Amino acid sequence: MITRLPPGAFFGQSRGRFEVAGLTFAESAYTAGFDIPAHAHAHAFFYLVIEGTCEETARHGTSTCGPSTLVFHPSGEPHANRWPGAGGRAFHIEISQTRADNIREHSVVLDDRNEFRGSMAPWLAMRLYREYCRPDGASLLALEGMALEVLAEASRRKVPAPERTAPRWLNQARELLHDRFAEDLPLGIIAATVGVHPVHLARTFGREFGCSPGEYLRRLRIEITCQRLAMTDAPLAEIALAAGFSDQSHFTKTFRHFNGMTPGEYRRRLRSR
C-alpha cells in the first residue's frame, strides 16, 4: 500500500516552511532509525540532506545519500526512506504542477529521479537553505530566484540513475565506505569484508555507480566537507583531517577538482548575500 501525500506534506518533524509563487520550502527532522513507508508526493520536489544519512529505495534500487546530496523526485514516483544511525535533517523544495508546467514552456524540466553530489546543484541548494534559515524582507524573492537556479542547474546536469537493483554485498561495500569515510581503506579490505574478490568488487562497483570505490570515497568526503563548511565555523585544517584528507593542501586540491573553487571560496560564497 503506497501512501499518497498531498501537496506540501512531508514525513518527519516539521522545522518550518515558506511558500511563494508555487514553490514550497520546508525542513524536516528525523529521529534515529526513522522509517518512512512507500509513498509518493503529489508534486515534484528536491530534498537536500543537511545532516545524517538517508537510505532511499525506489524503482532503481537502494541508494545511500549523505550530507549535501541533492535528490530530485518527479510527482507521483513511489519511494521509501530510512534514516539510520542518529537520524538527520532534510530541506525540501517542492514545485507545484502549475509552476512546473509554466517553467516547461521555456526550459527543460527534470522528469526522472536523479541524485546530485559534489556539483553546483547541491551547492546552490545549500545556499538556498542558508537563505531559508535567515529570513528577512527580501527572502521570499531570493528563495524563488535561487530555487529556479537549482532547477535549471539540475536539469542541465542530470545523471541517469541505475535501473537494476544492486547486489546486497555491493550495498554493504558502499555502507562500509560511509561508515569509515575518514579511513584509507584498501580495496582488498573492502572486498574481504563483504566476501567477494577485489577484481569483482571493482568491476561491479564501477558498473553500478559509475566510478571506482576510491573515487566514490573522495566524492563522499567532499559531500561531508561541503556540509561542514556550510554549517560550522571549524578551521579548514580541522575539517580536512576529520574527513580523512592527509592535510589541508590535499583537501584544497581535491575540493577544487570537484567544485571548481577552494573550500574557503565555497564558504565565502555560500554565506554572502
Side-chain angles (χ1 to χ4, degrees), residues 19-188:
E19 294 184 20
V20 57
L23 301 169
T24 299
F25 307 95
E27 183 178 4
S28 300
Y30 305 94
T31 55
F34 192 91
D35 278 306
I36 301 176
H39 64 286
H41 295 254
H43 293 160
F45 74 102
F46 290 93
Y47 72 85
L48 176 70
V49 179
I50 301 297
E51 183 179 313
T53 299
C54 178
E55 295 177 350
E56 180 171 288
T57 301
R59 65 179 178 83
H60 70 285
T62 299
S63 61
T64 302
C65 304
S68 297
T69 303
L70 181 67
V71 181
F72 174 80
H73 278 286
S75 61
E77 182 181 62
H79 58 284
N81 304 81
R82 181 173 180 271
W83 292 81
R89 291 182 294 128
F91 176 56
H92 306 277
I93 309 163
E94 186 180 78
I95 308 159
S96 73
Q97 191 61 54
T98 300
R99 191 65 195 266
D101 290 342
N102 178 262
I103 295 170
R104 200 180 301 277
E105 294 179 5
H106 307 282
S107 178
V108 174
V109 178
L110 292 170
D111 291 313
D112 300 306
R113 181 193 182 279
N114 276 272
E115 293 178 13
F116 305 89
R117 309 168 187 266
S119 61
M120 186 58 69
W123 182 85
L124 290 169
M126 184 62 77
R127 192 172 187 200
L128 171 57
Y129 173 67
R130 289 192 62 83
E131 180 69 37
Y132 167 87
C133 291
R134 298 158 54 188
D136 59 24
S139 285
L140 292 181
L141 179 61
L143 288 169
E144 181 183 4
M146 289 181 182
L148 295 179
E149 285 189 70
V150 171
L151 182 59
E153 181 65 24
S155 296
R156 186 178 294 126
R157 306 295 181 187
K158 63 182 180 179
V159 178
E163 293 294 332
R164 53 187 175 279
T165 301
R168 182 176 180 181
W169 63 261
L170 187 59
N171 285 324
Q172 291 173 339
R174 182 172 56 179
E175 290 170 5
L176 182 64
L177 292 174
H178 280 263
D179 291 340
R180 300 170 62 179
F181 66 87
E183 302 177 35
D184 291 324
L185 290 172
L187 185 64

